[in-house]
């Protein structure tokens, strides 16, 4: 038989030993790990009562800190000290039981390191803070990555702004020479038309075509680079009214292809009415252009609320877009067909994307080739 004494299995002594072992493990974990434990009194100068041995990673011994020879505040980076003191004060008086923050400490050898700090506030019966304890962890590596990321973002924003400025200036400056080409072609036709042969007329026709296409490209590029430029009016916009105005504008185009263009009740949003009109006109225009032969084009615009966003959609029963092209079409100059089949510059959907992003939304599409497409975009709900 297996006779067990009370001390052997799960008696009080065994439990005590288990607890000691656990404590030992915890101590070892902290002694060798990167987490430095601290305890300090809520008094002038933050006198340190206790600090774990691994504070040596900062180049100081625990005794140097607890004796006051090296005050904790003297380790904190001078640029962070006021902020750290303020945070401690703020959370303490707000009655928080713990809080966290990030700041730099300067090691004995002068190296700056970033630390993440979680501090618990110990209070007396009246709620006065008497002591703080907590831990700090070196997060310098993460901070370096974040800083590099931040630098990259700024660089990207700067080069984007430059590129947009370039597109704006270039398209603007291209208009004048283009106007010259067009007017001299006209003059040539008018003054020498009777003495030119059929070939010459054809060549002039090609040149005029080219100039017209170039004008369209410049117009679209200008429209693209104008989106989101400062000084735009931000107002309360009824999408119902925007839709009706767009439709009135497109009457001829709609009648030409015998299309049915309908809408559900649409929301009122905050935005730029001119841009939102462009957005709808581009999407409806595409729905009409990329229609299927022999089918009455049906275009429907609707909106549905989802949490803090409206999901608006423009659906058609046109030729559709294959899944592998569904992201590409939103990029500038990306077209899926030759100019001879469908005219266009490939800027329309890039304009739509920029407008939607400028309004704080996103745009995407769903489609079944040969059946139709549905372009969806979100717009934030008004007032938050
Ligand atoms: N409703 C649609 N149905 C099918 N294809 C479409 C539709 N809208 C856009 N596309 C495709 O996406 C491409 C990019 O559209 P867009 O940027 O408006 O340029 P564009 O109309 O000038 O060609 C189009 O060339 C076309 O291939
Ligand atoms: Mg288009």
């Amino acid at each position: 038989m297996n006779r067990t004494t009370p001390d052997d299995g799960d008696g009080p002594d065994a439990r005590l030993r288990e607890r000691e072992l656990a404590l030992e493990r915890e101590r070892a974990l902290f002694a060798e790990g990167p987490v430095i434990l601290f305890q300090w009194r809520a008094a002038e100068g933050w006198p340190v009562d206790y600090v774990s041995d691994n504070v040596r990673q900062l180049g100081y011994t625990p005794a140097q800190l607890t004796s006051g020879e090296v005050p904790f505040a003297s380790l904190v980076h001078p640029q962070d000290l006021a902020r750290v003191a303020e945070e401690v004060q703020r959370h303490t008086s707000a009655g928080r039981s713990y809080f966290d923050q990030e700041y730099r400490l300067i090691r004995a050898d002068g190296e700056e390191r970033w630390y993440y700090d979680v501090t618990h506030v110990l209070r007396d019966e009246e709620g006065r803070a008497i002591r703080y304890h907590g831990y700090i962890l070196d997060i310098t590596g993460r901070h370096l990555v974040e800083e590099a990321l931040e630098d990259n973002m700024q660089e990207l924003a700067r080069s984007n702004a430059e590129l947009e400025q370039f597109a704006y200036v270039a398209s603007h400056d291209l208009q004048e020479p283009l106007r010259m080409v067009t007017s001299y072609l006209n003059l040539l036709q008018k003054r020498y038309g009777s003495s030119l042969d059929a070939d010459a007329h054809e060549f002039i026709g090609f040149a005029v075509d080219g100039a017209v296409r170039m004008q369209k490209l410049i117009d679209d590029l200008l429209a693209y680079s104008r989106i989101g430029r400062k000084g735009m009016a931000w107002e309360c916009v009824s999408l119902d009214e925007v839709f009706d105005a767009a439709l009135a504008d497109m009457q001829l185009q709609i009648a030409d292809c015998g299309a049915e263009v309908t809408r559900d009740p649409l929301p009122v949003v905050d935005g730029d009415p001119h841009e939102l009109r462009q957005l709808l006109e581009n999407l409806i225009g595409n729905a009409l252009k990329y229609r299927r032969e022999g089918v009455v084009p049906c275009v429907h615009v609707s909106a549905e609320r989802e949490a803090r966003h409206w999901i608006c959609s423009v659906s058609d029963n046109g030729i559709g877009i294959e899944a592998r092209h569904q992201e590409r079409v939103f990029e500038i100059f990306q077209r899926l067909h030759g100019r001879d089949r469908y005219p266009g510059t490939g800027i329309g959907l890039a304009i739509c994307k920029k407008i939607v992003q400028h309004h704080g939304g996103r745009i995407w599409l769903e489609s079944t080739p040969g059946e139709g497409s549905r372009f969806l975009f979100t717009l934030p709900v008004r007032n938050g």
Side-chain angles (χ1 to χ4, degrees), residues 240-255 261 277 281 284:
D240 279 344
E241 284 170 22
V242 170
F243 174 94
D244 296 343
L247 219 61
D249 240 18
M250 306 174 84
Q251 262 324 309
L252 270 182
Q253 221 180 320
I254 293 170
V261 185
R277 166 111 165 241
E281 284 190 5
I284 297 171

Side-chain angles (χ1 to χ4, degrees), residues 282-283 285-286 289-290 335 343-349:
N282 276 332
L283 292 177
N286 276 348
K289 177 162 47 162
Y290 300 103
R335 313 195 63 233
T345 56
I347 303 178
L349 287 179

Side-chain angles (χ1 to χ4, degrees), residues 98-165:
Y98 74 92
F99 54 90
D100 62 344
Q101 52 180 337
E102 293 177 13
Y103 50 81
R104 287 164 291 180
L105 292 181
I106 300 177
R107 298 199 320 197
D109 62 7
E111 192 184 330
E112 288 173 16
R113 308 284 299 177
W114 275 97
Y115 281 85
Y116 173 66
D117 173 321
V118 178
T119 299
H120 289 253
V121 190
L122 302 181
R123 298 173 189 275
D124 63 14
E125 277 137 26
E126 270 115 72
R128 276 189 303 253
I130 42 174
R131 206 165 257 130
Y132 296 91
H133 67 175
Y135 61 83
I136 59 173
L137 175 65
D138 191 320
I139 51 162
T140 308
R142 202 196 74 198
H143 254 272
L144 291 178
V145 171
E146 278 172 5
E147 274 165 26
L149 214 60
E150 176 68 17
D151 286 352
N152 280 345
M153 296 276 281
Q154 279 177 8
E155 176 61 22
L156 201 67
R158 199 190 52 71
S159 74
N160 262 345
E162 249 174 31
L163 202 67
E164 272 172 25
Q165 185 62 18

Side-chain angles (χ1 to χ4, degrees), residues 203-311:
F203 297 162
I204 291 176
F206 290 150
V208 170
D209 260 7
V212 167
R213 239 179 26 239
M214 186 149 169
Q215 185 62 55
K216 178 81 180 113
L217 258 170
I218 290 173
D219 289 346
D220 284 357
L221 218 50
L222 261 178
Y224 179 80
S225 53
R226 275 200 185 113
I227 299 159
R229 283 178 82 86
K230 284 180 197 73
M232 290 296 183
W234 208 254
E235 49 190 83
C236 171
V237 185
S238 151
L239 289 182
D240 279 344
E241 284 170 22
V242 170
F243 174 94
D244 296 343
L247 219 61
D249 240 18
M250 306 174 84
Q251 262 324 309
L252 270 182
Q253 221 180 320
I254 293 170
D256 264 358
C257 58
E260 280 170 24
V261 185
T262 52
R263 69 161 168 86
D264 285 345
L266 302 175
V268 173
V269 296
D270 279 325
D272 179 325
H274 177 74
E275 286 186 6
L276 292 171
R277 166 111 165 241
Q278 254 181 298
L279 172 65
L280 279 188
E281 284 190 5
N282 276 332
L283 292 177
I284 297 171
N286 276 348
L288 299 177
K289 177 162 47 162
Y290 300 103
R291 62 183 178 267
R292 248 179 311 144
E293 208 135 331
V295 180
V296 175
C298 290
V299 186
H300 187 68
V301 181
S302 64
E304 198 181 302
R305 188 172 165 163
E306 196 184 83
R308 308 300 308 151
H309 284 92
W310 289 105
I311 302 181

